[in-house]
Amino acid sequence: MVAITKPDIPDTITTLEQLHAWSGLALENLFRGQTYKETTGDIDSGLAPLTDASIVTAADKSVRLISRTSIELNPSYQSDSTKKLWEFAEPLGDALLPNSYKS
């Protein structure tokens, strides 16, 4: 688990989009290179990156951040309606948020 406190989130983050980008980049920084076995239905698609953050140029020439993180959900999410879905997220691993992400 990567524990954070509200003061760890930079004051410059003022939108949900910025928060999403910040967390995606932090997770990719911490868990880069880790993979897991992914399947789609009956199709085995092999190993997939646990996290990925890429900067791409779109067709309209805008520059975009694509952030993907695969987060395991505790199976009790299916039967426990007292929590929000994000509360069932399992840790990716044990790591400390780098100081460079705190300002």
Side-chain angles (χ1 to χ4, degrees):
M1 137 176 110
V2 182
I4 63 168
T5 61
K6 288 184 182 181
D8 289 336
I9 301 171
D11 292 336
T12 56
I13 294 178
T14 59
T15 68
L16 192 56
E17 294 83 359
Q18 290 174 344
L19 181 63
H20 183 77
W22 175 82
S23 66
L25 289 165
L27 288 171
E28 202 271 338
N29 177 283
L30 291 167
F31 299 103
R32 181 181 300 129
Q34 293 189 26
T35 59
Y36 73 104
K37 187 87 166 160
E38 187 172 274
T39 60
T40 305
D42 293 333
I43 300 170
D44 181 353
S45 59
L47 294 177
L50 192 60
T51 63
D52 184 50
S54 302
I55 297 174
V56 300
T57 302
D60 66 359
K61 305 294 185 226
S62 62
V63 178
R64 298 185 172 260
L65 170 66
I66 298 174
S67 174
R68 179 183 189 271
T69 302
S70 176
I71 299 173
E72 181 181 353
L73 294 177
N74 184 299
S76 63
Y77 85 92
Q78 296 174 348
S79 59
D80 184 347
S81 61
T82 65
K83 295 180 180 178
K84 302 289 187 182
L85 184 60
W86 58 82
E87 295 179 271
F88 294 98
E90 296 287 352
L92 298 180
D94 288 322
L96 295 174
L97 183 66
N99 286 332
S100 62
Y101 281 87
K102 297 180 184 183
S103 60

